Amino acid sequence: LFHSLAENLGVQFEKRFPGYRKVSEGETKVGVYDGYEFRFESLSPNTAKGDLKIWGRVVFLPPQDGSKNGITLLMLATSLAPELKTVNDVGKKGELPMLLESFRFGKK
């Protein structure tokens, strides 16, 4: 199911991000939760700050505790962030790792 979700979302991103290219796809972990992710790259040409690389990471987390709905986390970054050098840095460097490690589903 997660692979199909990734493919469907990737098709939408191809229409909105110039030069969209999926870089990786597979299992991941966010905090204490097992999930599934894909990462992509794109380019935003001719901006006021020049051509910018866009890096994206999408994480699908399945429903927890018998609930019906999971969540999708979308993280976007650009080459303007000095601590990021590649798509693999998204969620691993800067402030996002702390957010991802502390993420928890709320209680009903």
Side-chain angles (χ1 to χ4, degrees), residues 18-68:
Y20 170 89
R21 181 177 74 88
K22 187 189 300 180
V23 174
S24 65
E25 180 178 338
E27 295 178 358
T28 192
K29 196 157 186 81
V30 171
V32 298
Y33 305 108
D34 292 325
Y36 192 84
E37 74 172 4
F38 73 95
R39 295 173 189 244
F40 66 92
E41 296 179 333
S42 179
L43 183 69
S44 184
N46 305 317
T47 74
K49 297 194 179 209
D51 293 349
L52 297 179
K53 291 180 184 177
I54 299 172
W55 298 304
R57 181 178 177 191
V58 178
V59 178
F60 303 106
L61 295 175
Q64 302 295 310
D65 301 328
S67 64
K68 295 181 181 180

Side-chain angles (χ1 to χ4, degrees), residues 7-21 42:
E7 289 298 316
N8 290 340
L9 201 50
V11 169
Q12 293 177 39
F13 287 170
E14 277 184 290
K15 296 174 185 175
R16 297 193 177 1
F17 292 97
Y20 170 89
R21 181 177 74 88
S42 179

Side-chain angles (χ1 to χ4, degrees), residues 71-91:
I71 63 163
T72 301
L73 303 173
L74 170 61
M75 294 164 266
L76 295 173
T78 72
S79 52
L80 289 176
E83 68 274 15
L84 305 179
K85 303 296 181 215
T86 73
V87 68
N88 293 324
D89 294 337
V90 177

